[in-house]
Amino acid sequence: MKQNLKKWVTRLACLAMTLFMGTANTSDVLTAFATAKTDEKAMTLELPSSARGTGADYLEIDLGSLNITGTHIGIKVNPVTATDQNGNSPKWSMFRFIFTDANGKQYNTDNFGGIDSVIPAANADGSATQVTWMYSYLWPLQGFYGTMYLPWALSNGGTEEKPTQAPTEIVKIRIQHNSSYTTARRHMLANFFTLTDATLVAEEKEVSYGDVKVFEDFENEVLSVTEKEIFNFGDVDLDAVTWSDNKVMEARTATTADLAHLEGIMSKLATEGFKSKYSTSGQIFDFSREQQTFGNALKWEYGSFYDLYDSKLNSYGSLTVPITGKYTDFRGAKGLTLWMKNPQPYPVSFNLEFAEADDTGNERWNLNGTDYRTAYFYDVVTGEEFSSPTLHVLFVPANFEGWIRLPFSQYACPSWSMGQGHDGIYEENNPHTNIYITSQFALNDSVTMYFDNIGLYYDDFNVGMLFGSTLPSIKDCVEGQK
Amino acid sequence: MRRKLLLTGLLAATVLFTAACSPMGQSKQKPLTGIDACFNEELGHYNESPSVIRQGATQYMFYTRNETKNDDTTDTIAVRKATLSGGKWSYGDAKTILRPSENGWDKASVFGADVVKGKFAFEGKTYSYLMVYSGSSKSNRGNAQIGFAVSETIDGEYIRVSDKPLVVFDKTTQTPVGLKNYKGAVEPSIVSYDQKGKVTVFYTFYGYFECNYAMQFDLSDLSAIKKSGNVRVNTAGVADGVENTMLYSGDWVYDPDEDMYAVCRNYGGKVSGLPTVSEAVQTLKASGADIYKINDNAPNENTMLTAVWSLYNNKQRRISAVHTAMDSPDGEDMTRTNGYKRIYNGCIASDAYGYTISSREINVYFTSSALSGAEGLEGDEYKFTPMIHEYTIGRGA
């Protein structure tokens, strides 16, 4: 059913693009379905390890005159590697972009108040992903090869409701790397390919089960975008670029050797590409996808606690699932829900946290910041519905497979959250930007967990009672039988 | 005057001590340090975890009793019939109505029973009374589960309806190690839904975590039992220093006129010294509409769960030692001004369906125990001191 729905959505997206493009020259159009080329031109930026920078370091490129008519500017990049001040390899690269219009006015990637957010992106095979947008920088993962789509109206601190007067013509682009930021770099290597004038098709995938609207189903998604290449960094006259006074980076036209690894990235995208959408932190766990009841599900695997626990890291592993589009607005929803499978003959535990962006800082909501709360379960194998207490985290019984509901009333902001949720979860009209699946390694030694269909539910319910309840069961809600 | 009182107290203590150390052939009595017990049984038999069904001037008290004197591995369910005369209940002899099974899941212990009236078809007969009880294959009552038994008459004997527990507790599913022992599923309390075969069983769950659960059963046909899953009872407002704590060993009665539940629960956390049971019981009330309610607060950091439980009587926070002390004991036995230091596993007298008898007051029956080493007790003798007492609480604001 899910697969059929996916095909239907894809077809709809294709249709929408065809209608949108009208008479456009199809040779100018790079649809999301295009096969990526690994023989393309690029500019390579490198921070040599011998020249660690002391601050913001940029180069500025004269673009001539480029017209922006779409909703987004596409920036195709490939951060290859980096090394931080401690000699470690950070997960993310970090670049700030500043555009200049014909009047000399600058438009930058400073986002709204330094709040966690993400922008849409596509891997080189067209599969949808996201890139973090935080602290004025875009943070593509190391090894990312694809296009980041910067919402043009949101540049320079604008918002959807209050956009800056983003120009239709730009003449310069500044690429800034900060080598003495919080994660200062000793070394950095990245390839820059193209700028595109892009329009993202607003069609959003709809996956729902009864009163559940799913915003993460761990399936392949193709980004619905129409775009036209307007600039190629491989064509830049590097003698004509402007460098910052404290220049430490070096630029060159990418060589065959600089791009040789892209073939490998392309071959891995088929199986590993979906990972680029998610980021992980804390204790090490493997995650992959595996076919379960509803198609692909996220498979989380912890190894041996005694062999792998790293006391230098947080005691838990965390996987960040970005939320985008209309699903960032939780209003009207009663809580979070997900499908989960615990194949162990004993309980496993996790926390399903979320972030809400507000003016006082990012609010983090979870089941840890409060006394015992209640989680609600529907086991699709046994047909049994039940509820049980959380104990700072959610415990999933042995061999459980089915739906779990977590009413928002069971959530609170833990003390370490930057924001403290004084205005509640959905009364502020603030976007909810990420879901975090976290799991304590010590409680989950060598376990496997499956997650799927993370979403919002909208109906009041009760777990299946035999008598005395007027509310629908979870089964009724999920099957639309209420 | 004070000196006289002191001397009198010392004399009373001496008499009590002497009595406790009575010569061979005389029964050693349980130490009375407060109000009378409902009935007396010699030291060596504990009487605990009562459940009381009242039918006019007759009532039946079901309770846990060790069948063999001074042997705490011989749990049984016993019943005593009482009649009301002159405002006092007079109890008859104990009758054992359920013993541990030969070799089943409850082969070592049966305890903490409750009984409800209804219509329960089983093996070609319709039975009028159903017992729900905790059972264990361990003599220490560990990893307990819950089962049912039926009888044609209220005072049994009761016949098991299955060789399997109806509320299962599997210790191996509690933790990855699967070796630890837990209390399990204990202290069931049963309330009829339709005065026929539909019932709600409330019980206390002690596994990897602890909570109160309710399960609904349709027991009209005991060969085809229908049951719900575990539904966690909303305990918001239950407090004893810990907010929203549990209804430990709660006994439930229901007032259908007001759609209200009243519960008697163990109050407070663990205590130091033996026995490690509670020091008081507490009675609370909640609307029937609220006990399964999913809290619908718009949450934020400062919002606690909305309380659904409140004291049955605001002026009676608990029944503790001070409430069980006698002001003017007969014979000026000053020991009885102390009250009981351990008060636990109480119940509220109900009708045969688990419904309240009066909307103005409740009759609470609770277990008391002497402390280890107190009142001249030796060794494990304290284990065999539990008695059952009555206490009436008027409906508060």
Side-chain angles (χ1 to χ4, degrees):
Chain A
M1 182 167 63
K2 195 174 181 182
Q3 297 300 331
N4 288 338
L5 184 64
K6 188 91 52 195
K7 286 177 190 167
W8 184 82
V9 168
T10 304
R11 285 178 193 143
L12 195 70
C14 290
L15 177 65
M17 277 190 293
T18 306
L19 292 172
F20 176 83
M21 291 309 301
T23 57
N25 184 344
T26 51
S27 64
D28 289 338
V29 177
L30 298 173
T31 70
F33 311 105
T35 302
K37 298 173 183 174
T38 54
D39 58 350
E40 52 195 328
K41 295 183 291 185
M43 175 184 75
T44 301
L45 266 186
E46 183 165 16
L47 174 70
S49 53
S50 59
R52 180 181 169 187
T54 55
D57 178 14
Y58 65 81
L59 80 165
E60 190 166 65
I61 300 167
D62 195 338
L63 300 172
S65 174
L66 301 181
N67 285 327
I68 306 296
T69 59
T71 58
H72 292 69
I73 291 182
I75 308 169
K76 188 170 185 179
V77 296
N78 165 232
V80 180
T81 183
T83 309
D84 69 13
Q85 65 217 21
N86 299 316
N88 299 318
S89 298
K91 289 178 184 289
W92 296 274
S93 186
M94 50 185 292
F95 299 102
R96 185 182 188 215
F97 297 92
I98 301 174
F99 299 92
T100 304
D101 70 9
N103 298 318
K105 188 175 179 184
Q106 292 186 327
Y107 300 85
N108 57 39
T109 48
D110 294 359
N111 71 0
F112 38 92
I115 291 167
D116 270 359
S117 186
V118 293
I119 59 170
N123 292 307
D125 66 352
S127 59
T129 183
Q130 279 100 21
V131 166
T132 299
W133 182 13
M134 181 173 66
Y135 305 137
S136 311
Y137 283 75
L138 302 183
W139 300 69
L141 289 167
Q142 303 294 351
F144 172 72
Y145 173 36
T147 305
M148 309 180 291
Y149 293 97
L150 179 68
W152 192 220
L154 302 187
S155 63
N156 209 31
T159 65
E160 293 284 5
E161 291 78 18
K162 221 175 157 183
T164 54
Q165 293 182 339
T168 56
E169 180 190 18
I170 55 173
V171 299
K172 289 180 183 175
I173 182 172
R174 182 181 293 182
I175 304 173
Q176 182 173 311
H177 178 259
N178 195 329
S179 53
S180 61
Y181 211 79
T182 50
T183 51
R185 306 290 197 248
R186 279 183 185 168
H187 173 249
M188 179 280 295
L189 183 67
N191 296 309
F192 290 77
F193 298 91
T194 59
L195 293 177
T196 58
D197 179 16
T199 292
L200 268 62
V201 178
E203 192 71 44
E204 285 195 62
K205 188 172 72 170
E206 290 273 3
V207 178
S208 60
Y209 300 94
D211 73 328
V212 176
K213 294 191 187 307
V214 173
F215 54 72
E216 179 56 68
D217 61 1
F218 300 104
E219 299 293 349
N220 282 325
E221 284 181 53
V222 174
L223 192 69
S224 297
V225 58
T226 58
E227 60 188 339
K228 177 180 177 182
E229 180 180 315
I230 55 175
F231 188 76
N232 193 310
F233 288 99
D235 294 332
V236 171
D237 177 359
L238 294 170
D239 293 332
V241 301
T242 303
W243 291 93
S244 58
D245 292 341
N246 58 340
K247 173 183 181 301
V248 287
M249 287 193 296
E250 293 173 356
R252 61 178 177 269
T253 301
T255 65
T256 304
D258 286 324
L259 304 179
H261 65 284
L262 297 182
E263 291 285 358
I265 293 178
M266 290 302 293
S267 65
K268 280 181 68 178
L269 275 176
T271 53
E272 301 277 316
F274 85 100
K275 290 189 175 182
S276 64
K277 183 177 171 184
Y278 315 99
S279 60
T280 61
S281 64
Q283 297 297 318
I284 303 301
F285 59 92
D286 285 336
F287 72 101
S288 57
R289 290 189 304 188
E290 191 173 293
Q291 288 285 308
Q292 292 292 325
T293 306
F294 294 95
N296 279 320
L298 180 86
K299 182 180 185 182
W300 174 307
E301 293 176 283
Y302 261 135
S304 165
F305 175 81
Y306 299 100
D307 295 336
L308 300 174
Y309 184 77
D310 187 342
S311 59
K312 296 191 294 294
L313 304 174
N314 286 333
S315 58
Y316 54 86
S318 175
L319 181 130
T320 304
V321 177
I323 309 172
T324 58
K326 63 186 178 187
Y327 299 112
T328 62
D329 187 350
F330 282 7
R331 283 176 298 177
K334 298 287 170 60
L336 289 174
T337 185
L338 78 162
W339 179 95
M340 200 272 174
K341 179 178 174 182
N342 168 20
Q344 277 76 212
Y346 47 79
V348 296
S349 62
F350 69 96
N351 214 325
L352 195 68
E353 309 185 9
F354 61 89
E356 178 180 1
D358 79 348
D359 295 339
T360 63
N362 234 344
E363 289 174 3
R364 186 72 77 92
W365 297 81
N366 66 19
L367 301 167
N368 187 26
T370 178
D371 48 11
Y372 283 25
R373 300 296 172 110
T374 307
Y376 300 84
F377 300 82
Y378 163 38
D379 190 316
V380 298
V381 177
T382 65
E384 189 174 274
E385 298 192 16
F386 55 94
S387 55
S388 74
T390 63
L391 186 54
H392 307 300
V393 293
L394 175 67
F395 283 87
V396 181
N399 303 312
F400 174 83
E401 178 180 343
W403 292 92
I404 301 173
R405 291 191 169 208
L406 299 165
F408 286 138
S409 58
Q410 310 305 299
Y411 277 88
C413 290
S415 57
W416 48 262
S417 171
M418 288 170 64
Q420 280 298 324
H422 297 296
D423 297 321
I425 287 176
Y426 39 66
E427 293 179 349
E428 306 161 51
N429 195 21
N430 290 324
H432 299 83
T433 51
N434 288 311
I435 291 285
Y436 307 89
I437 303 173
T438 63
S439 181
Q440 290 284 344
F441 199 176
L443 294 175
N444 295 285
D445 181 8
S446 304
V447 308
T448 297
M449 298 181 278
Y450 296 93
F451 301 95
D452 200 0
N453 290 337
I454 302 174
L456 300 163
Y457 73 88
Y458 288 81
D459 287 343
D460 289 324
F461 70 97
N462 216 333
V463 289
M465 311 282 277
L466 290 185
F467 43 81
S469 175
T470 56
L471 292 171
S473 66
I474 298 176
K475 181 175 187 286
D476 291 339
C477 290
V478 171
E479 295 180 353
Q481 302 290 322
K482 65 157 187 158
Chain B
M1 179 64 183
R2 184 179 292 175
R3 190 173 175 186
K4 187 179 177 185
L5 272 176
L6 183 65
L7 284 171
T8 307
L10 279 172
L11 180 64
T14 306
V15 169
L16 187 75
F17 183 79
T18 307
C21 301
S22 58
M24 292 283 287
Q26 287 188 28
S27 297
K28 196 171 178 180
Q29 298 303 307
K30 297 175 184 178
L32 283 172
T33 60
I35 58 176
D36 285 336
C38 292
F39 53 85
N40 294 314
E41 186 165 26
E42 62 183 333
L43 181 66
H45 290 282
Y46 49 76
N47 312 128
E48 62 180 13
S49 304
S51 169
V52 172
I53 290 178
R54 184 171 299 171
Q55 295 173 321
T58 303
Q59 72 179 20
Y60 294 87
M61 178 182 289
F62 306 89
Y63 62 101
T64 306
R65 176 179 183 270
N66 59 314
E67 190 157 35
T68 304
K69 188 176 179 183
N70 295 325
D71 185 348
D72 64 350
T73 65
T74 59
D75 278 341
T76 63
I77 305 300
V79 65
R80 285 183 191 245
K81 181 180 177 181
T83 52
L84 186 63
S85 177
K88 275 194 80 173
W89 291 100
S90 300
Y91 289 81
D93 291 337
K95 177 184 177 185
T96 300
I97 52 173
L98 191 74
R99 292 182 173 84
S101 59
E102 287 287 316
N103 198 26
W105 61 274
D106 53 354
K107 65 183 180 185
S109 175
V110 291
F111 62 100
D114 196 7
V115 169
V116 73
K117 188 176 183 182
K119 290 181 179 173
F120 311 103
F122 180 59
E123 295 182 343
K125 278 187 183 175
T126 298
Y127 291 85
S128 297
Y129 293 93
L130 180 122
M131 174 191 289
V132 59
Y133 66 97
S134 301
S136 172
S137 60
K138 293 174 172 291
S139 57
N140 68 359
R141 304 178 183 174
N143 299 319
Q145 305 181 81
I146 292 173
F148 293 134
V150 288
S151 173
E152 291 181 80
T153 60
I154 189 168
D155 54 354
E157 290 190 5
Y158 281 76
I159 307 163
R160 285 176 176 75
V161 302
S162 171
D163 58 2
K164 294 186 175 66
L166 273 298
V167 178
V168 175
F169 179 85
D170 181 355
K171 69 170 184 178
T172 66
T173 65
Q174 295 300 303
T175 66
V177 180
L179 295 175
K180 194 172 177 183
N181 286 321
Y182 303 90
K183 280 189 178 179
V186 297
E187 307 296 347
S189 178
I190 192 165
V191 174
S192 177
Y193 178 73
D194 60 357
Q195 303 188 15
K196 294 177 184 170
K198 292 178 179 173
V199 299
T200 304
V201 173
F202 302 92
Y203 69 98
T204 312
F205 177 89
Y206 296 91
Y208 184 76
F209 48 77
E210 300 174 359
C211 70
N212 289 102
Y213 281 129
M215 285 182 77
Q216 295 180 327
F217 291 86
D218 186 344
L219 304 172
S220 307
D221 179 357
L222 289 165
S223 65
I225 292 174
K226 299 186 186 89
K227 64 178 181 178
S228 72
N230 281 312
V231 183
R232 190 189 180 200
V233 173
N234 186 346
T235 56
V238 181
D240 50 21
V242 177
E243 296 294 328
N244 309 316
T245 184
M246 288 169 51
L247 297 161
Y248 291 103
S249 299
D251 182 69
W252 295 62
V253 295
Y254 181 62
D255 184 339
D257 294 334
E258 295 191 39
D259 185 25
M260 183 196 81
Y261 283 97
V263 169
C264 179
R265 74 170 191 114
N266 290 349
Y267 178 90
K270 288 176 181 170
V271 296
S272 59
L274 295 172
T276 55
V277 292
S278 65
E279 294 175 317
V281 293
Q282 182 181 53
T283 53
L284 301 152
K285 64 180 191 294
S287 162
D290 287 342
I291 61 168
Y292 307 124
K293 190 174 181 181
I294 297 171
N295 197 288
D296 55 3
N297 287 338
N300 67 49
E301 182 206 22
N302 299 315
T303 302
M304 296 301 293
L305 294 171
T306 302
V308 302
W309 291 92
S310 59
L311 290 172
Y312 184 80
N313 182 331
N314 283 336
K315 293 177 182 170
Q316 181 83 48
R317 182 155 192 80
R318 57 188 176 272
I319 304 170
S320 62
V322 67
H323 304 99
T324 59
M326 294 184 74
D327 292 335
S328 305
D330 295 340
E332 296 193 347
D333 178 359
M334 298 311 291
T335 307
R336 299 187 68 176
T337 62
N338 293 332
Y340 296 98
K341 304 296 186 189
R342 294 289 186 269
I343 293 177
Y344 63 102
N345 286 22
C347 76
I348 300 170
S350 69
D351 72 8
Y353 299 108
Y355 300 163
T356 49
I357 295 165
S358 164
S359 58
R360 297 191 306 276
E361 64 178 29
I362 51 176
N363 294 115
V364 176
Y365 292 83
F366 61 86
T367 312
S368 73
S369 173
L371 299 180
S372 172
E375 315 298 346
L377 295 169
E378 297 172 355
D380 284 348
E381 281 184 327
Y382 75 93
K383 289 182 178 177
F384 304 99
T385 63
M387 297 177 286
I388 297 167
H389 311 262
E390 181 183 356
Y391 192 96
T392 299
I393 298 179
R395 175 82 174 269

